[in-house]
Amino acid sequence: MPGRKNIYLDYNATTPVDPDVLNAMLPYFSENFGNAVSDHAFGWDAGEAVENAREQISGLVNCKPSEITFTSGATEAANLGLFGFCERYRNKGNHIITCKTEHKAVLDSMKALERRGFELTYLEVDPEGNIDLKQLEEAINSRTILVCLMLANNETGLIHPMDKIEKIVHSANVKLMSDITQAVGKIPVDLEKLNLDLAIFSSHKIYGPKGVGALYINKNNIVRIDPYFFGGGQEKGMRPGTLNVPGIVGFGKAAEIALFGMEVENERILKLRNKLEKELKNIEGAKINSEDADRLPNTTNVSIDNIDGNLLLRKLNSLAISRGSACTSNTIQASHVLKAMGLSDEQGLSSFRISMGKYTSREEIEFAVKEITNISSLLRKTMV
C-alpha cells in the first residue's frame, strides 16, 4: 500500500533519540571533541561534560554521581558487574541465585560463570511471572555471595517486589544486583531506597543514543569489583578506554528529560495500554500475559491461541512489534520468559509484545488493534 505509515510499537527494544538529546550531543563530535582525560582546555571541557552527565544520570536514579561507571551498554555493564564481583568474592563462596526469566545478557553471563565453577540456582516463576519469595529465602545458603534479579521484565513488563527481595537478601548478608534497564525512565527508580549493591541500565531505552550504559556500584554498602578490562585508568580503572563523550552527554540529557516528564507521560501511556488490552481481549483466544501482575505502564504481552505467530508478525508488516527480547528476536523459538511462566511452545510462538513510548498516539493504538484483529481472524480462517 503506497504511502502507508509504519507504526513503531517496540520501545522496549530501543527508542528514537530525542531531538533535544541529539542537539546536546552534536557539539561533542566536532567542536568540543577533546579526549575527556587530556590535560588541556579541550580535555577539560570534555571532562566537565562527562561529569555533568554523571550528575544528570545519578539524579534520575537517586544515587551519588561517583557510583556511576560508564560502559558501552547494559550488556557490558552486566558482564563487568557479574564477573568483577563474583571473581573478587569467590573466596567467600561460589553460589549465585538468579531467575529463569532474566534477560539473556544476564542468563548468558550466568552460564559462563557456571563454566568457571560457580553454582547457580535459577528461581521458578508462577504463571504471572512472579518469583516465590519463600523459594528465594530457602535457596540462600552459606556459600551464596550474590542474588541477581531484574527490577522489571523486558518481555512482560512485570515488576519484581525489590523492597521485599532486598530485605531477604541483605538479612542473609548476601549482595543484591539488579538489571534495572527497562524500569529506568518508565517508573521512579530510587537506588538509595532500593539499597541495591549493583545495578545496570542503558541510554537507548530512555531516548538517548545507543552504545552507552552504566554500572551502579553502591558505595555505602562497600561493594568492590575486580576490573574485567585493562589498558587505561579511565572510569577509576573499572572500564578503561577513551570515553564516548557524545554518547555520555546524550545519556545525561536523556536522563534529565526523563526525570521531569515521567509522571505525566506514565498517566498517558497507561491509558493507552488499558485501551489496547481491553480491545485485544475481544479477539478469540487472546490472553494478556502477566495481566494481573504489577507491570510497567507501557508493556503488553499477548498470546493468541491457534494462530501461527511467525505468520502473524509477517502479516502485521506495518506494525513494529516484537516476539520478545530484541536480543533473541531473530531466533524463531518460544520465549524463555513465557515458557518459564508455563506457556507451551505453541503458545509462546503465538505471542508478541507491544511496548509503547512517548511518541505513541491514540490513533496508532486504534490502528494497531484493527490490524491485529483483522489479521488474526484471517489466519484463523485459513487454518480451519
Side-chain angles (χ1 to χ4, degrees):
M1 178 176 171
R4 179 177 58 191
K5 177 186 176 184
N6 291 327
I7 295 174
Y8 189 76
L9 294 171
D10 199 17
Y11 284 82
N12 281 9
T14 196
T15 57
V17 173
D18 185 291
D20 288 337
V21 170
L22 180 59
N23 287 334
M25 293 172 63
L26 286 176
Y28 294 91
F29 286 106
S30 56
E31 298 168 31
N32 305 334
F33 57 85
N35 188 321
V37 297
S38 293
D39 192 18
H40 50 61
F42 291 88
W44 300 332
D45 286 345
E48 286 177 10
V50 167
E51 294 314 310
N52 180 61
R54 212 185 299 272
E55 289 184 9
Q56 291 170 315
I57 294 161
S58 64
L60 175 60
V61 295
N62 192 28
C63 70
K64 300 180 183 72
S66 58
E67 294 175 319
I68 296 293
T69 296
F70 289 117
T71 66
S72 67
T75 298
E76 184 188 318
N79 279 263
L80 181 58
L82 285 169
F83 286 95
F85 176 87
C86 292
E87 292 292 352
R88 184 178 184 95
Y89 291 94
R90 191 171 196 149
N91 64 327
K92 295 188 176 181
N94 70 335
H95 181 232
I96 308 164
I97 299 171
T98 189
C99 180
K100 290 186 174 181
T101 55
E102 291 291 306
H103 192 280
K104 283 290 186 180
V106 168
L107 291 178
D108 286 352
S109 297
M110 293 297 182
K111 289 177 184 176
L113 285 167
E114 281 189 280
R115 291 193 292 271
R116 295 186 180 198
F118 287 89
E119 295 179 13
L120 267 293
T121 295
Y122 295 89
L123 300 176
E124 305 281 350
V125 296
D126 68 16
E128 291 292 310
N130 296 295
I131 64 167
D132 183 337
L133 295 178
K134 183 144 185 76
Q135 185 191 15
L136 167 62
E137 197 169 359
E138 292 173 348
I140 297 173
N141 61 48
S142 60
R143 303 184 317 280
T144 308
I145 56 172
L146 183 69
V147 172
C148 183
L149 295 169
M150 68 197 326
L151 180 53
N153 189 274
N154 52 299
E155 294 192 28
T156 64
L158 176 134
I159 300 171
H160 283 310
M162 201 56 67
D163 55 341
K164 296 177 181 177
I165 292 169
E166 183 270 331
K167 287 182 175 61
I168 292 170
V169 173
H170 284 152
S171 66
N173 198 30
V174 172
K175 298 301 184 184
L176 177 61
M177 176 174 172
S178 183
D179 173 0
I180 61 174
T181 305
Q182 289 295 343
V184 170
K186 297 187 181 83
I187 59 173
V189 175
D190 187 327
L191 288 175
E192 188 173 307
K193 287 184 179 177
L194 288 174
N195 196 28
L196 302 172
D197 298 293
L198 298 163
I200 61 172
F201 56 108
S202 66
S203 163
H204 75 104
K205 307 292 188 181
I206 60 169
Y207 308 92
K210 299 173 183 67
V212 59
L215 170 65
Y216 161 78
I217 306 173
N218 189 327
K219 284 195 167 186
N220 289 339
N221 293 6
I222 317 176
V223 181
R224 301 280 186 269
I225 67 172
D226 284 340
Y228 191 55
F229 303 110
F230 303 91
Q234 297 91 339
E235 291 301 274
K236 302 174 286 292
M238 294 311 308
R239 202 271 182 176
T242 303
L243 288 172
N244 173 10
V245 177
I248 289 169
V249 168
F251 192 2
K253 186 64 177 178
E256 181 183 72
I257 293 169
L259 178 61
F260 293 106
M262 192 186 310
E263 186 175 349
V264 173
E265 184 61 16
N266 277 358
E267 286 184 23
R268 187 186 74 86
I269 291 283
L270 186 57
K271 288 178 182 177
L272 289 181
R273 192 194 78 184
N274 290 341
K275 173 180 174 60
L276 170 72
E277 293 183 356
K278 180 180 178 182
E279 298 190 23
L280 286 179
K281 285 193 290 186
N282 291 326
I283 298 173
E284 181 183 349
K287 173 183 178 292
I288 309 299
N289 295 310
S290 298
E291 181 178 11
D292 297 324
D294 185 18
R295 282 184 292 151
L296 296 173
N298 79 314
T299 306
T300 295
N301 193 295
V302 189
S303 299
I304 304 178
D305 289 342
N306 302 316
I307 292 289
D308 183 326
N310 188 45
L311 194 53
L312 176 66
L313 260 64
R314 289 180 177 274
K315 292 287 187 182
L316 292 171
N317 52 17
S318 62
L319 302 179
I321 60 179
S322 171
R323 191 184 299 280
S325 167
C327 295
T328 56
S329 57
N330 289 329
T331 305
I332 302 177
Q333 60 184 16
S335 157
H336 72 281
V337 172
L338 299 181
K339 288 182 71 173
M341 291 164 56
L343 275 70
S344 65
D345 281 343
E346 184 180 6
Q347 290 171 318
L349 288 170
S350 68
S351 302
F352 56 91
R353 178 189 70 189
I354 294 175
S355 49
M356 295 170 283
K358 67 181 180 181
Y359 301 117
T360 306
S361 67
R362 183 182 179 89
E363 291 73 25
E364 288 178 332
I365 292 302
E366 290 172 348
F367 179 80
V369 168
K370 288 179 183 177
E371 283 288 283
I372 295 167
T373 301
N374 292 339
I375 297 298
S376 298
S377 177
L378 177 64
L379 291 178
R380 184 168 281 107
K381 287 177 182 177
T382 59
M383 293 176 70
V384 173

